[in-house]
């Protein structure tokens, strides 16, 4: 998971990605093992189903996410300022230029997707482009492109797959009445009832693992962007401005955006009491600003 660009390597992020992938893989083995043990007569279907979902999640999740968030690729002629900012970041980082997109949304935000630098896409909303100054925009784009450079976007895509699979199995088992019909089936029935229970536990553990990784990777992206551009104050200004503007966005729009918070530069919450705030994929604004203030002080030292 090493990078060949000028973004500052983050050993802490690399260690967390490797650990998360190992634990996620272990959970995946446990889940499939339980399915095979309980439904041993259907093991070919289980393997094909799990393998098919994994391939679909890995290859298409970024495209689905970009489409769901309304990202539309734009040419340099259509968005010269956005392309110019991306070009400057690419020159600083010595990395291939990603596809550039704009999402028609007043929510000020940005995100990046892609399994690698070559297949990446960086997107800014019209709300973000309208509100930020050029230096602030470059800071946000540098943050998003660091996710691609460090490959944590790909790791998050793979890590989230297990949660999707476990959640799907739990819902199928409950809605199909599998557990209810198994109560009177003796020992075999008890074994079958373990499927939704194990799936629910796997989902919960996988969710916590991805949240812990996600919070660290956001701090890592802030740090890498600040060091690359040499302007942590511009990124701090963008963070403060975007976070402050969220309160002015209609609740309905924020609620629609909440499912994609893990991708966003700043999470969108529809209310102060939102459960998403407690289980947020991002660290608090105060944590992010404190880190940028320390970086700014370090850079100012002779």
């Amino acid at each position: 998971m090493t990078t060949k660009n000028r973004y500052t390597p983050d050993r802490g992020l690399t260690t967390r990605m490797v650990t998360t992938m190992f634990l996620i893989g272990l959970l995946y083995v446990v889940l499939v093992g339980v399915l095979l043990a309980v439904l041993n007569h259907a093991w070919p279907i289980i393997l094909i189903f799990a393998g098919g979902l994994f391939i679909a999640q890995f290859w298409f999740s970024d495209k689905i996410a970009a489409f769901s968030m309304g990202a539309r690729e734009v040419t340099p002629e259509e968005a010269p300022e956005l392309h110019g900012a991306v070009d400057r970041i690419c020159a600083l980082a010595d990395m291939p230029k990603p596809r550039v997109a704009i999402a028609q949304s007043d929510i000020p935000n940005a995100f990046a997707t892609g399994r690698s630098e070559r297949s990446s896409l960086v997107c800014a909303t019209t709300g973000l482009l309208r509100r930020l100054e050029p230096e602030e925009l470059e800071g946000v784009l540098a943050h998003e492109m660091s996710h691609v450079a460090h490959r944590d976007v790909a790791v998050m895509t793979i890590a989230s797959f297990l949660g999707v699979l476990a959640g799907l199995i739990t819902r199928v088992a409950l809605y199909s009445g599998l557990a209810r019909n198994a109560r009177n089936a003796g020992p075999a029935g008890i074994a079958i009832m373990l499927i939704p229970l194990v799936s629910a536990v796997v989902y919960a553990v996988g969710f916590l693992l991805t949240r812990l990784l996600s919070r660290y990777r956001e701090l890592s992206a802030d740090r890498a962007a600040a060091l690359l551009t040499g302007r942590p104050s511009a990124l701090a200004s963008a963070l403060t401005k975007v976070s402050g503007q969220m309160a002015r966005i209609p609740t309905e729009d924020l609620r629609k955006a909440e499912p994609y918070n893990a991708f966003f530069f700043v999470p969108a919450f529809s209310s102060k009491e939102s459960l998403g705030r407690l289980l947020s994929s991002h660290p608090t604004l105060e944590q992010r600003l404190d880190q940028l203030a320390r970086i700014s002080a370090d850079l100012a030292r002779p």
Side-chain angles (χ1 to χ4, degrees):
M1 296 183 184
T2 57
T3 58
K4 297 180 180 179
N5 49 65
R6 293 179 186 147
Y7 273 104
T8 303
D10 191 324
R11 293 183 180 179
L13 177 62
T14 300
T15 300
R16 284 167 173 80
M17 288 193 293
V18 171
T19 303
T20 298
M21 289 301 295
F22 172 78
L23 294 175
I24 287 288
L26 187 61
L27 287 173
Y28 183 73
V29 170
V30 170
L31 179 61
V32 173
V34 169
L35 290 175
L36 292 176
V38 175
L39 305 174
N40 53 9
H41 59 284
W43 66 266
I45 297 176
I46 294 171
L47 292 180
I48 292 174
F49 174 72
L53 275 180
F54 178 80
I55 293 173
Q57 176 79 358
F58 183 73
W59 287 101
F60 301 116
S61 62
D62 57 337
K63 297 179 179 63
I64 294 172
F67 175 79
S68 301
M69 289 182 277
R72 181 183 69 85
E73 285 191 55
V74 291
T75 64
E77 292 72 26
E78 292 176 300
E81 293 183 2
L82 179 58
H83 270 273
V86 172
D87 286 336
R88 287 190 289 275
I89 296 301
C90 289
L92 283 174
D94 190 22
M95 63 184 290
K97 184 177 181 179
R99 291 172 291 142
V100 179
I102 291 178
Q104 293 292 328
S105 172
D106 192 45
I107 299 176
N109 236 317
F111 63 90
T113 65
R115 300 178 307 279
S116 66
E117 292 181 0
R118 298 289 178 182
S119 64
S120 61
L121 175 144
V122 61
C123 177
T125 65
T126 51
L128 185 80
L129 296 174
R130 183 165 55 84
R131 290 175 172 90
L132 295 190
E133 299 298 325
E135 287 189 354
E136 295 171 336
L137 178 61
E138 285 188 22
V140 173
L141 294 175
H143 167 104
E144 293 302 329
M145 289 170 63
S146 75
H147 286 313
V148 177
H150 289 152
R151 300 185 183 180
D152 55 80
V153 170
V155 172
M156 285 295 293
T157 297
I158 297 172
S160 64
F161 161 73
L162 184 62
V164 173
L165 176 61
L168 180 61
I169 291 172
T170 302
R171 286 192 294 272
V172 168
L174 293 177
Y175 291 144
S176 66
L178 177 63
R180 188 169 55 252
N181 296 332
R183 290 175 183 171
N184 300 321
I190 295 175
I192 292 176
M193 289 177 66
L194 286 175
I195 293 177
L197 177 61
V198 172
S199 297
V201 171
V202 167
Y203 175 81
V205 175
F207 179 86
L208 291 175
L209 286 174
T210 53
R211 279 298 178 272
L212 290 173
L213 173 61
S214 183
R215 290 179 183 181
Y216 184 89
R217 82 184 187 114
E218 293 300 331
L219 288 173
S220 176
D222 284 346
R223 182 166 53 252
L227 292 174
L228 180 73
T229 62
R231 293 192 296 266
S233 60
L235 182 56
S237 176
L239 271 169
T240 303
K241 188 178 293 186
V242 170
S243 298
Q245 289 291 316
M246 284 295 179
R248 302 184 181 183
I249 304 299
T251 300
E252 182 179 353
D253 293 341
L254 292 174
R255 189 176 294 115
K256 291 178 181 178
E258 277 191 28
Y260 309 108
N261 274 343
F263 288 92
F264 285 145
F265 171 62
V266 171
F269 296 114
S270 57
S271 71
K272 292 183 178 180
E273 292 76 26
S274 173
L275 180 62
R277 288 183 181 274
L278 298 177
L279 303 174
S280 177
S281 56
H282 290 59
T284 65
L285 175 63
E286 290 74 18
Q287 288 176 305
R288 300 175 75 174
L289 293 179
D290 284 346
Q291 176 183 245
L292 291 172
R294 291 195 299 271
I295 294 173
S296 183
D298 290 341
L299 292 177
R301 290 173 185 163

